[in-house]
Amino acid sequence: FHPSASTRARATMAAPPPGRCGRVEQFINNAWVRAPQAAAQAQALGGAARTLPVVNPHDNKIIGAVGAGDRAMIDDAVRAARKGYKVWSATPGRERSRVLREIARGIERRKRALAELETLDAGKPIEESEWDIDDVSACFDYYADRCDEVFGDKAYAEEDVKLPMDEFAGRLRREALGVIGLITPWNYPLLMATWKVAPALASGCAVVLKPSELASLTCQVLGDVCVEAGLPPGAFNVVTGRGDEAGAALCAHKGVDKISFTGSLQTGRIIMSACAKDVKPVSLELGGKSALVIFDDCDLEKAVEWALFGCFWTNGQICSATSRVFIHERIREKFLARLKEAAEAIPYGNPLVKGCRLGPLVSEGQYKKVMKMVERAKRKGYTLLTGGKKPSDPDCREGFYLEPTVFVDVPMDAEVWREEIFGPVMCVKTFASETEVVAMANDSDYALAAAVITDDLARRERMTAAFDTGIVWVNCSQPCFAQLPWGGRKRSGFGRDLGANGMDKYLHQKQVVTYVSEDPFAWYPMFDAKPNSKL
């Protein structure tokens, strides 16, 4: 850390892509199409079809538009996916693997353009966006490898199963589930989509992707990459639009075999209810309110940096953010002093500037939501260590910026302590014992992730076992790898993305039992059984 450094991001700025961003058409059956009624809509609207604006959160300026997909477009996409599924699910694993690797290469070739689009669309610092795009190509490569390993020269996976009766031979087949509806969030637009798209395609499923209406640009580009890679028509489709229109239509469509969703608890409940009508399987990743526990035997500098990264990475808009920080009473004062100093030194501002480490919130709506929660906490009289307001820098005047914000010693029933804020807001509380902090850390409606920082090896193992979460980080916060599963418990949802078993939720199991004996079955007396029949 360099507290004396300027808090404004100053360095080389990446050039924004020329022209307007986004496409108003929808990507269906390997082509960009408009709804049949688009011409009528355009005439009624004075020449422009119904669209959604693309807003740059840095300055609140409209930089383009995407199509506002409706039920008709979802229906077209699902019909295309059902046809594409027949072809793609019958494609051998090695060929599917080859196509996935070509998608990865296509992403790599477009890395700079994709990163700039992600930053313009979602407000992520440009170096974060570049990291995300690297992770996208790596995820496609990982599932290309898994596809090769699991399926090989077959379109399905199969293994023999030993049965207790010699007269029967058992096999277990795992086949592609069908057409998958994917609804993905705005904080990692292309990466979160890839976490679902890559294993679904590797499994042989066809996909209809509905990205967040707040950040759809890079997901649109993925359509062009898939065509270039040789993915057959209908295997991958993208429909942009509002959640309550295109998203709702996707969940309700009887041609969709499963929904996988990442987003808010409120929307997850709506999706789960919609899928229940057709008993449609659903996977939900719904966020969290994660804990970071810091013991007094740690390296203080490392602990402060991980506390900042764990909460303020991705502008604080991350489901696993370790926004509840527990600090041991022996190092409380030193930690808070260093935390304040370092938080106030984080380079913020235009996220296209290299060196920026905190950009704007994604939209005006999200900014207002977070600011209302901060203001309510301030009115309650909670101790504000730093932040809590918009930066005074003129470069941030028009955008949706909030300074890194830290509250101290808020009550455990406080809104800012218990509810997911999805912004750069941290709450710090002191603890005295391991038993006490475990109880406080697990006292949450969410159970996505938790982290502990300690040099005590035995304590690391005790805390790992004690955390009631799906993810545990030791001496760090937020690392994520395609090789390990991602997901939580309780109100954080159910189901897992990523990992060696990441394709499982896109496969169905089929048992195959063959009667292999030469003898008659001989259950009924009119059929003679041989003397040595086991029946």
Side-chain angles (χ1 to χ4, degrees):
F1 286 127
H2 302 284
S4 61
S6 170
T7 55
R8 281 197 63 190
R10 302 181 187 275
T12 304
M13 184 167 69
R20 291 174 64 82
C21 301
R23 303 193 64 145
V24 298
E25 304 91 349
Q26 307 293 356
F27 183 77
I28 297 175
N29 215 33
N30 277 11
W32 292 98
V33 299
R34 291 197 181 192
Q37 66 272 33
Q41 286 180 342
Q43 186 175 4
L45 294 172
R50 188 163 168 261
T51 61
L52 298 172
V54 175
V55 177
N56 183 348
H58 166 62
D59 56 14
N60 197 20
K61 292 181 179 178
I62 294 176
I63 57 174
V66 296
D70 56 13
R71 185 176 299 275
M73 295 305 292
I74 289 292
D75 189 55
D76 287 348
V78 173
R79 282 191 280 112
R82 295 229 65 90
K83 293 179 181 178
Y85 168 68
K86 293 179 180 179
V87 175
W88 187 240
S89 63
T91 302
R94 296 206 196 286
E95 174 61 15
R96 295 205 297 258
S97 175
R98 184 196 66 79
V99 173
L100 290 175
R101 288 195 178 91
E102 285 300 313
I103 294 174
R105 302 292 79 75
I107 294 293
E108 288 176 346
R109 287 191 292 272
R110 294 168 172 83
K111 175 181 173 178
R112 179 174 179 178
L114 285 168
E116 290 170 357
L117 280 178
E118 209 79 297
T119 291
L120 285 167
D121 207 10
K124 298 171 73 76
I126 185 65
E127 286 159 290
E128 281 193 34
S129 294
E130 290 170 348
W131 194 350
D132 286 357
I133 302 308
D134 286 340
D135 285 348
V136 168
S137 57
C139 189
F140 274 107
D141 274 331
Y142 176 71
Y143 281 106
D145 292 341
R146 289 293 298 144
C147 182
D148 213 356
E149 293 167 6
V150 172
F151 300 106
D153 293 324
K154 295 182 178 179
Y156 55 89
E158 186 174 51
E159 60 184 279
D160 293 331
V161 178
K162 178 66 176 175
L163 302 178
M165 297 178 69
D166 293 338
E167 290 86 352
F168 297 93
R171 289 178 291 149
L172 175 63
R173 285 173 62 118
R174 288 183 293 158
E175 303 173 350
L177 185 57
V179 172
I180 312 298
L182 306 178
I183 302 176
T184 54
W186 44 258
N187 56 337
Y188 289 85
L190 185 56
L191 183 57
M192 289 287 186
T194 296
W195 284 12
K196 301 177 187 298
V197 171
L201 291 179
S203 301
C205 294
V207 166
V208 178
L209 171 63
K210 207 299 285 184
S212 169
E213 58 268 36
L214 295 179
S216 302
L217 298 181
T218 51
C219 289
Q220 288 187 324
V221 177
L222 183 57
D224 292 328
V225 174
C226 287
V227 173
E228 182 182 281
L231 194 68
F236 177 72
N237 308 272
V238 183
V239 178
T240 57
R242 291 169 51 93
D244 57 357
E245 294 178 351
L250 186 61
C251 292
H253 203 291
K254 294 186 181 298
V256 174
D257 297 295
K258 180 186 176 74
I259 294 290
S260 182
F261 168 76
T262 297
S264 71
L265 172 62
Q266 180 181 5
T267 303
R269 286 170 167 159
I270 295 171
I271 288 173
M272 194 171 181
S273 177
C275 291
K277 295 177 183 177
D278 292 322
V279 198
K280 184 180 299 179
V282 59
S283 299
L284 303 174
E285 200 273 88
L286 304 178
K289 190 70 177 178
S290 301
L292 168 62
V293 178
I294 302 173
F295 285 90
D296 59 335
D297 61 349
C298 69
D299 180 310
L300 188 67
E301 285 292 291
K302 292 179 181 177
V304 170
E305 180 170 21
W306 282 118
L308 294 178
F309 187 82
C311 187
F312 301 143
W313 168 252
T314 312
N315 307 334
Q317 301 168 129
I318 181 169
C319 55
S320 57
T322 43
S323 57
R324 292 185 300 139
V325 176
F326 297 89
I327 185 70
H328 194 277
E329 60 184 6
R330 290 197 190 98
I331 58 171
R332 167 193 164 94
E333 298 309 319
K334 288 183 178 179
F335 176 83
L336 290 178
R338 188 69 179 103
L339 181 71
K340 181 178 188 298
E341 181 182 41
E344 292 172 356
I346 293 175
Y348 64 83
N350 188 339
L352 280 173
V353 175
K354 293 280 188 178
C356 174
R357 291 296 180 265
L358 187 73
L361 298 175
V362 72
S363 68
E364 183 177 17
Q366 183 65 16
Y367 173 75
K368 289 180 177 179
K369 170 182 173 288
V370 173
M371 285 301 298
K372 284 179 181 178
M373 295 181 79
V374 169
E375 290 301 323
R376 284 194 292 267
K378 289 160 69 174
R379 286 197 298 271
K380 291 276 188 179
Y382 302 151
T383 302
L384 181 65
L385 182 69
T386 188
K389 63 184 186 300
K390 193 168 191 170
S392 58
D393 194 302
D395 194 41
C396 301
R397 184 180 298 120
E398 302 301 324
F400 310 128
Y401 287 89
L402 172 63
E403 291 180 351
T405 299
V406 181
F407 288 99
V408 180
D409 294 332
V410 300
M412 288 187 64
D413 62 352
E415 177 188 44
V416 289
W417 180 264
R418 300 203 67 85
E419 298 300 322
E420 185 176 44
I421 299 174
F422 235 64
V425 181
M426 178 192 300
C427 294
V428 182
K429 187 173 286 291
T430 307
F431 72 95
S433 72
E434 189 174 316
T435 301
E436 175 194 22
V437 78
V438 166
M440 290 193 295
N442 286 337
D443 183 13
S444 174
D445 293 331
Y446 297 94
L448 178 56
V452 60
I453 297 180
T454 177
D455 287 342
D456 187 319
L457 296 178
R459 180 184 284 142
R460 292 177 190 175
E461 292 306 307
R462 291 194 303 271
M463 294 296 293
T464 295
F467 284 137
D468 183 21
T469 59
I471 300 164
V472 174
W473 294 302
V474 178
N475 286 357
C476 59
S477 179
Q478 305 308 317
C480 178
F481 301 93
Q483 292 78 8
L484 289 169
W486 182 276
R489 304 180 61 245
K490 299 196 287 190
R491 289 188 178 181
S492 291
F494 50 85
R496 295 291 187 270
D497 287 322
L498 302 180
N501 299 319
M503 295 188 295
D504 287 358
K505 66 182 180 181
Y506 303 115
L507 297 168
H508 74 91
Q509 299 185 68
K510 179 185 290 183
Q511 63 147 292
V512 181
V513 177
T514 304
Y515 186 66
V516 295
S517 174
E518 296 293 331
D519 298 333
F521 188 54
W523 174 254
Y524 297 100
M526 67 285 294
F527 297 97
D528 291 332
K530 291 186 178 181
N532 62 351
S533 172
K534 291 183 180 180
L535 296 174

